Amino acid sequence: MVPSDTNCVAEMFGRIAPTYDLLNHLLSFGQDYFWRRKVAACLDEHKNIMLADLATGTGDILIALLRRRNDIESVVGLDISGKMLAVCKKKLNRLGLGNQAVLIRGDASHTPFEDNSFNVVTMAFGVRNMPDVPAALKEIRRILTPAGKMLILEFSLPASRIVRVMYLLYLKILLPVIAGGVSGDYQPYRYLGRTIESFCSPFEFTRCMIDAGFENVAVQPLSLGVAYIYTAAKP
Ligand SMILES: C[S@@+](CC[C@H](N)C(=O)[O-])C[C@H]1O[C@@H](n2cnc3c(N)ncnc32)[C@H](O)[C@@H]1O
């Protein structure tokens, strides 16, 4: 079964929350550390950061940013899964960062935030799970200040045909077996493969960002195009 609504997605992530981080590092061969550090580095020029990290999960984007910078004004992490947020809270406390981030349970497509609340909004590996991607992008635009920056990290399929075939074999066969064995739950990792395959191409996603009213859209492939960083600004 592929979860078809937000409640099913929240429930599914809740089930894998205890092994989520371990499997992330294992299945990406440690590349996920590098990808999140790259996202954090995209903000090096920014001052007075007021950040919302949507679909924050276990909080690795928040942590990458808070470890890189000690001048961040405010940090909010929002996620639909209470269990993912509980893991996030524990990690922040363990790292002594617990009082630097506010965690909120909610839907990234309908956030409780006022218009123009944040000058940076990030979302890593979250947008693929949104039932209505254009609505999620419009929500990000709404909560960003004018000239605020959006950074999205998301999986994709590599452009090179040979690499793509090898990657798809990994995604469809090896990955669910490894992840299912470790977590005891195969379905979320079959869901992962299906959503990566069905998510828009970088070209199409760029179009979505422009259609949602963003400007200065830029795209950066990572690790042979297995993941991309998308950046854009609210006019
Ligand atoms: C693949 S995890 C990514 C977590 C984290 N950003 C990271 O980089 O590891 C996807 C996260 O999106 C959350 N999520 C899915 N749909 C959501 C929604 N509509 N609103 C908020 N969070 C959502 C899930 O609960 C899960 O924690």
Side-chain angles (χ1 to χ4, degrees):
M1 181 203 79
V2 174
S4 53
D5 67 31
T6 329
N7 288 336
C8 290
V9 171
E11 193 271 329
M12 185 188 73
F13 278 103
R15 289 200 321 262
I16 59 167
T19 49
Y20 177 83
D21 283 342
L22 170 69
L23 281 169
N24 250 356
H25 309 325
L26 197 69
L27 298 171
S28 72
F29 305 99
Q31 289 289 294
D32 64 312
Y33 289 113
F34 158 74
W35 297 336
R36 291 191 186 83
R37 276 206 304 271
K38 272 262 178 202
V39 170
C42 290
L43 294 170
D44 278 352
E45 308 295 308
H46 277 251
K47 302 272 177 264
N48 310 111
I49 291 178
M50 293 178 293
L51 168 79
D53 182 41
L54 306 182
T56 197
T58 59
D60 278 347
I61 286 280
L62 302 182
I63 291 166
L65 258 165
L66 287 168
R67 279 181 151 173
R68 192 176 181 95
R69 303 275 294 261
N70 55 12
D71 62 342
I72 296 182
E73 282 201 3
S74 61
V75 174
V76 175
L78 176 139
D79 199 280
I80 198 87
S81 161
K83 289 192 177 153
M84 291 292 272
L85 288 178
V87 175
C88 176
K89 184 78 197 155
K90 257 194 206 157
K91 277 165 65 179
L92 287 167
N93 287 342
R94 202 172 56 233
L95 295 166
L97 302 170
N99 58 355
Q100 294 191 43
V102 174
L103 301 180
I104 295 176
R105 188 168 175 205
D107 185 343
S109 301
H110 309 278
T111 70
F113 309 124
E114 306 268 308
D115 294 359
N116 310 320
S117 294
F118 305 97
N119 55 17
V120 177
V121 174
T122 50
M123 175 145 46
F125 308 117
V127 72
R128 198 173 25 86
N129 300 290
M130 304 291 145
D132 185 344
V133 172
L137 291 175
K138 283 195 184 125
E139 180 65 358
I140 294 176
R141 187 179 186 276
R142 183 186 72 75
I143 63 174
L144 271 174
T145 54
K149 190 164 181 174
M150 169 176 76
L151 285 106
I152 290 186
L153 173 61
E154 192 48 88
F155 289 118
S156 188
L157 293 177
S160 148
R161 199 179 282 184
I162 295 174
V163 181
R164 186 195 303 223
V165 169
M166 285 164 54
Y167 181 60
L168 280 172
L169 286 174
Y170 171 66
L171 208 58
K172 287 182 171 185
I173 299 169
L174 207 55
L175 184 146
V177 171
I178 300 170
V182 173
S183 67
D185 197 342
Y186 291 83
Q187 183 246 340
Y189 291 93
R190 292 201 189 100
Y191 165 84
L192 170 71
R194 279 185 217 151
T195 52
I196 293 175
E197 251 194 295
S198 60
F199 188 61
C200 353
S201 68
F203 177 77
E204 287 162 342
F205 190 59
T206 302
R207 190 73 252 163
C208 282
M209 290 190 286
I210 294 167
D211 290 347
F214 286 94
E215 62 180 21
N216 300 334
V217 174
V219 178
Q220 189 182 349
L222 304 169
S223 310
L224 300 173
V226 161
Y228 277 77
I229 296 175
Y230 301 90
T231 54
K234 175 171 171 175

